[in-house]
Amino acid sequence: MPLNGVSAIIPVAGVGSRLRPHTHTVPKALINVAGKPILAHILDDLMAIGVRRLVLVIGHMGDRIEGFVRAHYGQLDLVFVEQPERLGLGHAVHLAESAAAGGPVLIDLGDTILQADFSRLKVGGSSLLGVREVDDPRRYGIVELKDGRVVKLTEKPEHPTSNLAIVGFYFIQDSALLFECLRENISKDVRTKGEYQLTDALQRMIERGAVMEPLPIDAWFDCGSPETLLQANRELLDRQTQGTSIPGSVVRPPVSIAPDAVIENSIVGPHVTVAAGASLKSCSVKNSIINENARVEDILLDASVIGENALVRGNFKRLNVGDSSEVELS
Ligand code: G1P
């Protein structure tokens, strides 16, 4: 396995405020998209490229994340580090130092599902930063390139000099220098936008001669808000090939329906995730995520995210409409 000896640092301490109310009860990393939690997509991808050691930096509802990862990824070498105060991504990564120091580190943000040419990751090869062109670079860390190398990084600039965003995937060969730069910024209280930034530590590494290359990210599924979560659900389901048929109901693929979900007399899809224990009765649902043990009955749903154990019940109307009438029910 090419990435033996690499520690993946996965910061998952964030609150996920844009996904409230779901993140009141479920940590953002465990929100279901296209049939499994965001974090499961990330960890499955990491396992597929040969990563065996994970350092998860937990905070908000960290117990639930730890329980999930230990239950489903217990075969990996797991370390959980607590970030008691949210002082920034740089601070989160700094806390992983004693667990991750030694070999190269791969930092993969816990809300970022992505696809890229991971065969470029090699122990002893180049350090790589995931990048992608974006419309509004002011919302991201950005990189400037020269001769195929990263020459400057800036966190959420007011006046961006490039539209190449840092995507949240960093493969760093010289972890000793990374941790040294993080420690230095924290001890000197170097903050940007009030936080200790990973971007600032990487910039310090470049100033000290570290060489980093861009890794173009082919697909980036941002799960940060209900709209982008549903978009990720659609795009990820489009990439899965799963045929399902349910007697008495109509399934319009692509969908992800947990084996123990109950579907009766309904139309499901396209682009619907139905999690374990959920039930849909006499309804029509498209472009939606129905979470664990939710019950949905007698309703037409589109672009909806229904939380765990929620009950959504509508009603069907009775109409007696004459010829040439126009009826609009909102
Ligand atoms: C973080 C990084 C930023 C990067 C972004 C990608 O920002 O600091 O450089 O572009 O992730 O999602 P955050 O989204 O945590 O504000």
Side-chain angles (χ1 to χ4, degrees), residues 5-308:
V6 172
S7 299
I9 302 175
I10 306 171
V12 278
V15 171
S17 47
R18 287 181 301 146
L19 277 175
R20 285 180 186 138
H22 303 285
T23 45
H24 282 311
T25 47
V26 181
K28 181 174 171 185
L30 297 189
I31 298 263
N32 194 321
V33 59
K36 59 188 179 186
I38 296 169
L39 186 58
H41 287 273
I42 294 169
L43 299 190
D44 290 348
D45 290 347
L46 289 178
M47 278 175 64
I49 59 171
V51 173
R52 292 288 171 268
R53 184 175 167 78
L54 305 179
V55 183
L56 288 104
V57 184
I58 55 175
H60 179 66
M61 285 187 271
D63 294 351
R64 278 199 63 173
I65 294 185
E66 182 167 347
F68 173 82
V69 176
R70 286 202 189 281
H72 294 89
Y73 298 90
Q75 72 274 37
L76 299 178
D77 180 5
L78 303 173
V79 182
F80 295 86
V81 178
E82 179 126 13
Q83 186 185 26
E85 284 176 283
R86 285 188 307 280
L87 299 176
L89 183 57
H91 179 250
V93 174
H94 155 76
L95 293 175
E97 175 168 358
S98 58
V105 294
L106 197 173
I107 303 158
D108 195 352
L109 303 192
D111 56 2
T112 306
I113 305 170
L114 44 85
Q115 287 172 352
D117 178 9
F118 296 121
S119 68
R120 285 188 55 200
L121 276 67
K122 291 196 177 76
V123 175
S126 307
S127 288
L128 299 168
L129 300 184
V131 297
R132 189 169 164 93
E133 284 187 6
V134 292
D135 293 334
D136 183 6
R138 286 175 303 173
R139 286 178 46 210
Y140 300 96
I142 61 149
V143 301
E144 286 170 50
L145 303 180
K146 196 173 173 212
D147 301 330
R149 288 185 175 174
V150 177
V151 290
K152 192 162 195 288
L153 299 100
T154 317
E155 182 67 14
K156 303 194 179 86
E158 296 287 326
H159 304 290
T161 45
S162 128
N163 64 349
L164 258 192
I166 300 171
V167 164
F169 186 88
Y170 317 74
F171 183 57
I172 307 294
Q173 300 287 346
D174 187 354
S175 62
L177 181 60
L178 169 69
F179 289 122
E180 188 185 310
C181 291
L182 284 166
R183 255 185 282 119
E184 203 170 309
N185 281 356
I186 291 170
S187 67
K188 290 182 177 159
D189 202 29
V190 176
R191 300 181 192 226
T192 301
K193 314 267 177 199
E195 297 188 344
Y196 299 118
Q197 302 288 353
L198 178 58
T199 305
D200 292 339
L202 296 171
Q203 171 61 22
R204 199 177 271 279
M205 286 179 74
I206 293 213
E207 285 161 13
R208 302 231 171 124
V211 174
M212 297 179 202
E213 293 174 12
L215 176 70
I217 299 298
D218 303 325
W220 182 3
F221 307 103
D222 171 20
C223 299
S225 69
E227 295 73 29
T228 61
L229 181 72
L230 287 169
Q231 187 179 339
N233 187 55
R234 288 195 297 275
E235 292 179 10
L236 288 164
L237 285 175
D238 278 338
R239 287 157 199 253
Q240 297 177 6
T241 48
Q242 189 203 36
T244 319
S245 76
I246 297 168
S249 291
V250 176
V251 176
R252 295 191 175 133
V255 296
S256 169
I257 299 176
D260 68 347
V262 176
I263 314 280
E264 285 176 18
N265 191 29
S266 294
I267 303 171
V268 186
H271 301 119
V272 173
T273 290
V274 185
S279 79
L280 269 57
K281 293 187 183 165
S282 304
C283 51
S284 173
V285 182
K286 63 177 178 178
N287 182 31
S288 294
I289 299 173
I290 314 296
N291 279 297
E292 280 182 28
N293 300 315
R295 281 165 55 203
V296 178
E297 296 174 13
D298 299 326
I299 199 164
L300 208 98
L301 286 186
D302 181 14
S304 302
V305 182
I306 308 298
E308 289 180 10

